[in-house]
Amino acid sequence: MLFFAAALVMVAAAVCEAMATSLPGVRSVADTARLLVPLVMSLASVTSGAAIAAARVVSPGPRLLRRMWGRSRVLWRRLLGPVLGLAFLSGRRLLVALGVGAVSGAATLMIALAVIRIPALAATLNGPDARTDALTDAPLWSQATYLAIHAPLPEELLYRAPVMAIAAIVIATTSRRRIRVAVIAVALIVISGVFGLAHLEWSLANAVTATISGLVFGLVSVLTRTLWAGVAAHAAFNALTVLV
């Protein structure tokens, strides 16, 4: 399960980076070596999966190989479906998840804008941000689109997916509501704090707002039982930062 989750994060990061930097006026400021790692790892994952599939098609192969293949498919379906809620959703459920996410993202941005007015945080807003260099010559719509697709999906997979996994495990193993709420709340707070610390290199204000937004994105994903809601909230939050 961890292998599949890591591969999913790396593939998402590589694809979103390529899509975002292909927008008009956007310059790539990412370290080529850093991007090469997820691409190589993703290629290795795909190659390994293709090799196992080919071996299974060509010949029944040893029993161990068949068991590995069957187990891998089960884990993959569980990761995308019951755990992350990323499997194919019905039109209505997907629209509700995306709508709730978008509204939550916009509301979170309003909270963040109020928080950064605190003098101690406002003084740190001029910290370095590589995205500013990337978007210097980009039109407004391109800036908003870049921020909406560059980080939300891989970051939600990296930070909110563990919360979703913990929620799935707790829900499946206990019927006591208080225990469920307590465990999920602790996981959400801790992982949101880690998410905030990851943004501390830009500024203290960014770290604080990232912690707050992480709490909202995680809560929205858990309540709707799909990570798509968190992705939508994150995308709306990022895109609106250049529009408000």
Side-chain angles (χ1 to χ4, degrees):
M1 185 72 80
L2 290 175
F3 171 79
F4 288 129
L8 191 60
V9 172
M10 290 185 291
V11 170
V15 171
C16 290
E17 174 73 19
M19 292 175 59
T21 54
S22 67
L23 291 167
V26 175
R27 294 187 297 106
S28 177
V29 295
D31 184 3
T32 304
R34 180 181 66 82
L35 289 178
L36 187 61
V37 173
L39 287 173
V40 171
M41 292 297 293
S42 301
L43 180 61
S45 301
V46 173
T47 302
S48 300
I52 295 175
R56 184 174 182 272
V57 171
V58 173
S59 170
R63 181 176 299 178
L64 178 61
L65 183 61
R66 294 199 303 271
R67 290 177 62 185
M68 288 176 59
W69 172 252
R71 185 59 176 166
S72 296
R73 289 192 303 173
V74 171
L75 287 174
W76 183 250
R77 287 198 299 267
R78 287 180 179 176
L79 177 66
L80 293 182
V83 176
L84 301 182
L86 288 176
F88 293 107
L89 303 178
S90 64
R92 181 178 179 180
R93 184 184 173 195
L94 180 59
L95 287 176
V96 170
L98 295 179
V100 170
V103 172
S104 299
T108 306
L109 179 60
M110 297 301 103
I111 296 173
L113 291 175
V115 169
I116 61 175
R117 292 179 180 273
I118 299 174
L121 296 179
T124 70
L125 285 176
N126 294 324
D129 190 338
R131 293 173 300 181
T132 301
D133 297 329
L135 301 176
T136 300
D137 302 320
L140 188 62
W141 72 267
S142 189
Q143 294 181 36
T145 305
Y146 173 91
L147 293 175
I149 66 177
H150 180 260
L153 179 56
E155 286 191 350
E156 291 307 297
L157 287 169
L158 185 60
Y159 293 101
R160 254 60 68 184
V163 178
M164 297 288 286
I166 292 171
I169 293 171
V170 172
I171 291 172
T173 56
T174 180
S175 59
R176 299 183 63 178
R177 182 178 179 83
R178 290 184 179 180
I179 294 178
R180 288 181 176 182
V181 172
V183 173
I184 294 173
V186 170
L188 186 57
I189 292 170
V190 171
I191 295 176
S192 296
V194 174
F195 182 59
L197 289 175
H199 289 73
L200 188 58
E201 62 177 300
W202 287 286
S203 69
L204 178 60
N206 201 313
V208 172
T209 56
T211 301
I212 295 172
S213 61
L215 287 168
V216 176
F217 302 160
L219 184 60
V220 167
S221 293
V222 170
L223 292 178
T224 59
R225 296 196 177 187
T226 172
L227 203 63
W228 287 125
V231 173
H234 199 153
F237 180 95
N238 283 9
L240 289 173
T241 57
V242 300
L243 299 177
V244 297

